[in-house]
């Protein structure tokens, strides 16, 4: 637990020194503006909730992909990974603390988006199902943190995966129902979207903004949490694989 | 009653092999970095590991610090096996890898030390006092709150040293700790090692600088091609340094042929620019050579200390120093 707090403290220091790690937060107002403009042009005020949620979810995913995905690799490049291995504290809680800070910071995107809508478009988003919204948002943050851990390890283990890192944004905006609800997508994509936690998150969050009653909330939340758990387990396993591999192959540093 | 203390470092028949080639498919021949190393470092000793590039010094340090797994043999730190008891090893050992990397450039020196200290289980007041004391000790008090990325190499090296000591380790592994230090800093460093010795800490220090090894160590192990060739006292080193001195000068050919027959003159070679190098194999011969040269009217004469490579060649024979890939 203490190691987790060290991770949080360290990541806060780093973020303060390099706000560029949260680049996607700067893009949020632009995206919100675009979506709201489209909405107004189409004269569909009922979609305001969609237009405000989408930039937030996009930022959440993008920041996890770029910033969390590089956490371990950056240590390796910096030559600090070896020293981290040689220290009594364990790596998993340290990494968890760092990811928690990054993901929490990226949740700020939703606040940004909300205020852009309010100030520039005079659109006030109301949340009819506040409880559902808060719980879904927390579960989304948790799931994102778990899957960010998976990314951090995958990008070290499979160096070629880094090449796809930049390309992993948009496909997941689609599969995660971030911009367009997955129910609008062709049916054959269903098996894929079902295992992407973002699709459950985005549907839940949108429903929470919709006055109509939220259907099957318990079940959908459970699926989201199970997907988070799967990500967390996979992330922990991959991290130990990373550590085992670097210790046996001796490729902790780039020579 | 005498308490039996385990040696700080105990290494037996240690091997480390790296897979050769690059990529997954192109498996080249295996590369042996450590080839049956036996080494004992007593508690409280300052032990040098002296060897040329690629000798296996860093590999040995990495294995001792649990960062790398051995391929065979056994290594213990303060009685704890580095493979099966990593937790105990990690709490009792500090490591300093040389070079500019390995610190968080965006953070200040103080923040760096606080981070690593926290990972060693320190917190609160204890952490702050330890960090302040270390900053003082390595002479960085005035720059403590500057970002490390703005530091010179030598200053970074001091932060590295402080970082290695932040866990109050009984064993400190220093891998080429003086690279990048100016002579003044290197002198401070020698004083620091003296203090560590006085505190009864064990220090294992790698270097390819014979003079440094001779000045700071209690004993020096000579390593090459993954094998320990010998463990010597610093006296032996200083004797070699004077015995195998070399003399360079522009010398007329007939004088060269006369001088090369002098007892104690080893190999003599003349380079393309006409300079001749005499390597001596006995103490005092260098001085005698210089005298003869000056008497013969040769005035630009330089003497220099032998390189580690030359000493290895003299002491351990011809194949001592094949450049390894
Ligand atoms: N990760 C690795 N993969 C493959 N070979 C390696 C690896 N690390 C070291 N080696 C090889 O092992 C041998 C010993 O290397 P090591 O770094 O231990 O030498 P060293 O004595 O520290 O040298 P230097 O004085 O240059 O630091 C070298 O030949 C090196 O090429
Ligand atoms: Mg080395």
């Amino acid at each position: 637990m203490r190691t987790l707090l060290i991770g949080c403290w360290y990541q806060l220091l780093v973020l303060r020194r390099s706000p560029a790690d949260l680049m996607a937060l700067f893009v949020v107002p632009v995206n919100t503006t675009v979506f709201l403009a489209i909405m107004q042009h189409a004269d569909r005020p009922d979609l305001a909730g969609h237009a405000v949620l989408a930039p937030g979810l996009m930022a959440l995913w993008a920041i996890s992909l770029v910033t969390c995905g590089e956490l371990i690799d950056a240590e390796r490049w910096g030559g600090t990974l070896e020293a981290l291995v040689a220290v009594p504290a364990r790596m998993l809680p340290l990494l968890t603390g760092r990811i928690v800070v990054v993901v929490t910071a990226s949740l700020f995107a939703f606040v940004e988006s909300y205020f852009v809508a309010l100030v520039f478009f005079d659109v006030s988003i109301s949340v009819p199902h506040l409880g559902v919204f808060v719980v879904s948002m927390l579960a989304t943050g948790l799931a994102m943190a778990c899957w960010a851990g998976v990314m951090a390890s995958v990008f070290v283990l499979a160096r070629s995966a880094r090449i796809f890192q930049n390309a992993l944004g948009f496909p997941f905006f689609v599969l995660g129902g971030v911009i367009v609800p997955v129910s609008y997508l062709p049916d054959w994509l269903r098996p894929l979207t079902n295992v992407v936690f973002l699709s459950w998150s985005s549907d839940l969050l949108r429903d929470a903004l919709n006055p109509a009653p939220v259907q099957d909330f318990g079940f959908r939340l459970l699926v989201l949490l199970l997907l988070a758990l799967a990500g967390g387990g996979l992330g922990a396993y991959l991290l130990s694989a990373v550590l085992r591999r670097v210790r046996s192959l001796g490729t902790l540093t780039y020579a | 009653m005498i308490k039996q203390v385990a040696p700080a470092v105990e290494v037996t028949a240690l091997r480390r092999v790296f897979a050769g080639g690059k990529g997954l498919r192109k498996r080249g021949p295996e590369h042996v970095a450590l080839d049956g190393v036996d080494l004992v470092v007593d508690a409280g000793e300052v032990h040098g590991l002296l060897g040329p590039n690629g000798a296996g010094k860093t590999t040995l340090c990495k294995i001792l610090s649990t960062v790398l797994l051995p391929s065979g043999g056994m290594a213990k730190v303060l009685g704890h096996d580095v493979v099966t008891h990593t937790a105990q090893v990690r709490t009792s050992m500090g490591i300093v890898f040389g070079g500019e990397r390995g610190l968080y450039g965006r953070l200040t020196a103080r923040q760096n030390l606080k981070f690593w200290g926290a990972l060693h289980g320190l917190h609160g007041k204890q952490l702050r006092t330890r960090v302040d004391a270390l900053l003082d000790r390595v002479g960085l008090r005035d720059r403590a709150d500057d970002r490390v990325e703005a530091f010179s190499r030598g200053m970074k090296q001091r932060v590295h040293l402080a970082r290695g000591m932040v866990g109050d380790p009984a064993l400190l592994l220093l891998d080429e700790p003086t690279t990048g230090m100016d002579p003044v800093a290197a002198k401070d460093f020698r004083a620091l090692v003296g203090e560590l010795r006085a505190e009864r800490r064990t220090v294992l220090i790698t270097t390819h600088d014979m003079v440094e090894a001779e000045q700071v160590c209690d004993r020096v192990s000579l390593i090459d091609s993954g094998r320990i060739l010998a463990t010597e006292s610093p006296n032996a080193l200083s004797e070699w340094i004077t015995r195998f001195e070399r003399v360079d000068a522009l010398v007329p050919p007939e004088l060269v042929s006369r001088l090369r027959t002098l007892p104690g003159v080893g190999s003599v070679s003349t380079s393309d620019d006409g300079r001749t190098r005499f390597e001596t194999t006995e103490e005092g011969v260098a001085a005698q050579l210089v005298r003869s040269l000056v008497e013969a009217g040769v005035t630009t004469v330089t003497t220099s200390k032998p390189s580690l490579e030359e000493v290895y060649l003299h002491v351990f024979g011809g194949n001592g120093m094949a450049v390894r890939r």
Side-chain angles (χ1 to χ4, degrees):
Chain A
M1 187 62 198
R2 177 165 280 144
T3 311
L4 193 135
L5 293 178
I6 299 170
C8 293
W9 171 78
Y10 169 70
Q11 194 61 37
L12 280 172
L13 279 179
V14 172
L15 285 185
R16 222 179 56 195
R17 291 288 169 111
S18 57
D21 285 357
L22 299 175
M23 199 61 196
L25 284 186
F26 298 101
V27 189
V28 169
V30 180
N31 286 340
T32 311
T33 304
V34 170
F35 290 137
L36 280 172
I38 295 174
M39 175 207 88
Q40 282 189 335
H41 186 72
D43 201 14
R44 290 285 304 272
D46 54 312
L47 290 182
H50 293 217
V52 169
L53 282 176
L57 288 166
M58 286 164 73
L60 182 70
W61 181 262
I63 289 175
S64 298
L65 187 65
V66 176
T67 305
C68 295
E70 280 172 7
L71 286 181
I72 302 178
D73 214 33
E75 299 290 332
R76 182 157 74 152
W77 275 107
T80 39
L81 192 55
E82 287 172 333
L84 282 176
V85 171
V87 128
R90 287 180 39 241
M91 191 79 86
L92 183 61
L94 185 70
L95 187 67
T96 307
R98 298 184 60 183
I99 289 176
V100 165
V101 167
V102 175
V103 169
T104 307
S106 63
L107 289 181
F108 182 71
F110 292 98
V111 181
E112 265 184 274
S113 195
Y114 174 84
F115 279 105
V116 168
L118 188 66
V119 174
F120 295 109
F121 290 85
D122 206 17
V123 172
S124 169
I125 306 291
S126 62
V127 189
H129 307 283
L130 189 61
V132 171
F133 185 82
V134 171
V135 172
S136 304
M137 187 60 84
L138 289 176
T140 299
L142 177 73
M144 190 67 255
C146 292
W147 284 92
V150 174
M151 294 193 246
S153 295
V154 165
F155 290 148
V156 178
L157 282 176
R159 254 188 247 191
S160 48
R162 283 292 295 271
I163 300 165
F164 300 110
Q165 190 185 22
N166 287 327
L168 280 179
F170 201 75
F172 277 88
F173 296 158
V174 175
L175 294 178
V178 168
I179 305 174
V180 180
V182 287
S183 57
Y184 296 9
L185 299 177
D187 277 345
W188 57 267
L189 274 175
R190 264 291 142 129
L192 257 151
T193 57
N194 275 343
V195 293
V196 176
F197 80 88
L198 264 183
S199 70
W200 300 86
S201 294
S202 55
D203 280 348
L204 274 173
L205 290 170
R206 270 190 296 260
D207 284 3
L209 299 186
N210 195 331
V214 181
Q215 306 280 331
D216 297 329
F217 173 62
F219 171 72
R220 291 157 72 189
L221 182 67
L222 182 71
V223 174
L224 179 53
L225 290 176
L226 285 177
L227 286 173
L229 191 70
L234 184 61
Y237 169 76
L238 287 176
L239 179 64
S240 71
V242 168
L243 297 178
R244 214 174 324 119
R245 188 163 119 168
V246 288
R247 279 182 75 206
S248 60
L249 293 187
T251 47
L252 264 181
T253 38
Y254 290 107
Chain B
M1 193 181 104
I2 298 169
K3 193 164 156 248
Q4 193 66 41
V5 197
V9 174
E10 198 179 355
V11 170
T12 319
L14 192 66
R15 268 178 76 77
R16 172 68 216 203
V17 181
F18 289 106
K22 281 187 184 131
L24 287 176
R25 250 152 273 140
K26 273 201 278 170
R27 277 280 151 108
E30 289 190 327
H31 186 99
V32 182
L34 293 178
D35 190 9
V37 167
D38 296 303
L39 180 69
V40 174
V41 178
D42 293 327
E45 181 182 358
V46 177
H47 197 101
L49 202 56
L50 177 67
N53 294 124
K57 307 183 291 294
T58 300
T59 304
L60 181 55
C61 284
K62 283 184 182 173
I63 291 177
L64 291 176
S65 59
T66 75
V67 174
L68 187 68
L69 292 170
S71 316
M74 183 218 61
K76 281 182 177 177
V77 166
L78 301 153
H80 308 296
D81 190 285
V82 296
V83 178
T84 56
H85 291 76
T86 49
Q88 287 92 328
V89 173
R90 288 172 188 172
T91 37
S92 47
M93 169 226 49
I95 174 130
V96 177
F97 292 113
E100 300 213 26
R101 296 154 81 249
L103 296 169
Y104 296 113
R106 287 175 188 166
L107 304 190
T108 66
R110 189 191 305 280
Q111 288 167 341
N112 265 285
L113 294 184
K114 275 179 96 167
F115 175 70
W116 293 104
L119 293 181
H120 275 277
L122 298 171
H123 54 92
K125 191 160 178 283
Q126 196 191 12
L127 177 59
R128 280 196 302 277
T129 350
R130 176 82 52 84
V131 167
D132 284 339
L134 282 172
L135 285 166
D136 265 354
R137 188 164 185 176
V138 296
L140 282 177
R141 191 219 297 249
D142 296 337
R143 303 293 303 270
D145 296 307
D146 292 349
R147 289 195 204 188
V148 166
E149 65 194 356
F151 281 10
S152 68
R153 280 183 69 170
M155 286 163 66
K156 284 183 185 155
Q157 203 56 42
R158 293 169 192 225
V159 184
H160 268 300
L161 276 173
R163 200 209 67 198
M165 292 190 291
V166 79
D168 192 23
L171 169 68
L172 198 56
L173 304 174
L174 306 176
D175 192 11
E176 311 219 1
T178 52
T179 28
M181 284 191 182
D182 59 28
V184 177
K187 190 165 155 275
D188 289 349
F189 168 76
R190 287 197 287 274
L192 179 72
V193 173
E195 289 171 29
L196 296 174
R197 180 192 281 114
E199 291 164 13
R200 299 282 305 145
R201 290 182 213 272
T202 312
V203 181
L204 181 66
I205 169 172
T206 82
T207 179
H208 44 232
D209 183 341
M210 268 186 298
V211 177
E212 178 175 279
E214 185 236 323
Q215 286 175 342
V216 304
C217 298
D218 300 320
R219 284 195 304 158
V220 180
S221 289
L222 309 165
I223 181 171
D224 187 31
S225 303
R227 293 171 163 280
I228 302 282
L229 303 175
T231 295
E232 299 283 350
S233 69
N235 287 341
L237 289 187
S238 59
E239 197 225 293
W240 290 339
I241 293 171
T242 48
R243 174 139 63 107
F244 301 119
E245 234 175 342
R246 40 195 199 190
V247 178
D248 293 278
L250 271 170
V251 190
E254 60 283 0
L255 186 55
V256 172
S257 34
R258 183 156 67 76
L259 291 178
R260 77 164 54 200
T261 58
L262 282 182
V265 173
S267 83
V268 178
S269 57
T270 304
S271 60
D272 294 339
D273 62 1
R275 297 186 68 84
T276 304
R277 164 167 294 184
F278 300 90
E279 292 179 11
T280 72
T281 57
E282 271 167 42
E283 201 174 334
V285 176
Q288 202 184 317
L289 269 176
V290 172
R291 238 178 284 118
S292 317
L293 286 168
V294 173
E295 277 165 18
V298 180
T299 47
T300 44
V301 180
T302 40
T303 63
S304 53
K305 295 186 163 62
S307 69
L308 180 60
E309 283 78 354
E310 287 161 0
V311 169
Y312 271 35
L313 201 66
H314 288 303
V315 178
F316 303 107
N319 58 357
M321 218 45 204
V323 173
R324 313 180 67 224
R325 283 185 305 115

